[in-house]
Amino acid sequence: AILIAAVVLSVHTMWMTVTWTDWSALTRAIVATGIRQPTILNIAASHDVGHPSTRDAGGRWVGTYSCRWITLLTTNRSVAGGKGTDRDALAAWIAYDRQVLRRDIAERHPDLILVDRRGTFDWLTWAREDPETARLLEGYRPAGEVIDDGDVGRIELLQRVE
C-alpha cells in the first residue's frame, strides 16, 4: 500500500510540474520580440490571451487578473438591462477593473501587453477611455500581432518603450 501511494504521489507530482511547451503563434510572437523573460499582462476577454504562452515563452505574468473578466461579465449584464441601482453597481465594478489595470501598468511596468482585438468588443478602445490608462499606454508601441484563426480578429502585442 505504501509503494502504491508513493507511485501515485510521484506520478501526480510529475503531472503537475512538467511543462508541455505550446509553441503557438502567440508564444512565437512573444519570443520574437527578443525580450528575455518578459513581464506580461493582457487587456482581453479571456485568459487564453497570455496563458500558457507567457510561461512557455519564459515570461512572468504581472497582471492582477488573468483577463478583464470583471468588465466582460458586468458589460454583458448591463446589456441585458437592469434597474438604476444595478447599473450603478455594475458601473462601479467596471471602474474597479479599470483601476486594477491602471495600477498594474503603472506599478508593474509590463514589458508586453497582449491586447484582444477579436470579436466585437474593442479592448484597446475600452482601456483608452480612461485618461490615465491612455497616458500609460503611450509608453508602448506595436510589437506584432497574431491572427486568430479560430476567432475573427487578432491579438496585438504592445511593447514598452525604454
Side-chain angles (χ1 to χ4, degrees):
I2 294 175
L3 180 60
I4 291 173
V7 169
V8 168
L9 180 62
S10 175
V11 170
H12 175 70
T13 302
M14 286 175 48
W15 173 262
M16 297 301 287
T17 58
V18 171
T19 298
W20 287 272
T21 302
D22 169 27
W23 285 99
S24 67
L26 182 56
T27 301
R28 289 190 304 274
I30 292 169
V31 170
T33 65
I35 303 169
R36 192 171 143 82
Q37 299 179 320
T39 54
I40 301 173
L41 65 75
N42 71 14
I43 305 173
S46 175
H47 67 276
D48 72 334
V49 179
H51 304 282
S53 291
T54 296
R55 178 195 65 219
D56 292 342
R60 183 171 52 91
W61 190 257
V62 295
T64 298
Y65 301 118
S66 62
C67 63
R68 309 273 41 106
W69 64 269
I70 295 172
T71 293
L72 176 68
L73 294 176
T74 53
T75 301
N76 288 344
R77 178 122 184 233
S78 295
V79 169
K83 298 181 172 113
T85 55
D86 287 344
R87 282 192 300 273
D88 293 345
L90 295 174
W93 278 109
I94 292 172
Y96 169 76
D97 200 20
R98 287 183 191 278
Q99 174 191 355
V100 170
L101 175 62
R102 188 172 51 245
R103 184 188 66 223
D104 285 351
I105 295 170
E107 294 178 5
R108 298 176 180 180
H109 311 286
D111 296 314
L112 295 173
I113 299 176
L114 310 177
V115 183
D116 190 349
R117 305 303 296 265
R118 304 172 298 177
T120 59
F121 192 86
D122 188 339
W123 286 96
L124 191 55
T125 297
W126 172 85
R128 288 179 172 155
E129 286 172 355
D130 176 69
E132 181 60 18
T133 302
R135 186 189 67 72
L136 291 167
L137 288 172
E138 288 174 3
Y140 289 80
R141 64 170 175 79
E145 67 179 20
V146 175
I147 303 301
D148 189 337
D149 296 329
D151 230 336
V152 177
R154 66 192 195 284
I155 310 297
E156 186 173 347
L157 287 78
L158 300 178
Q159 184 174 344
R160 185 165 42 95
V161 178
E162 296 298 326

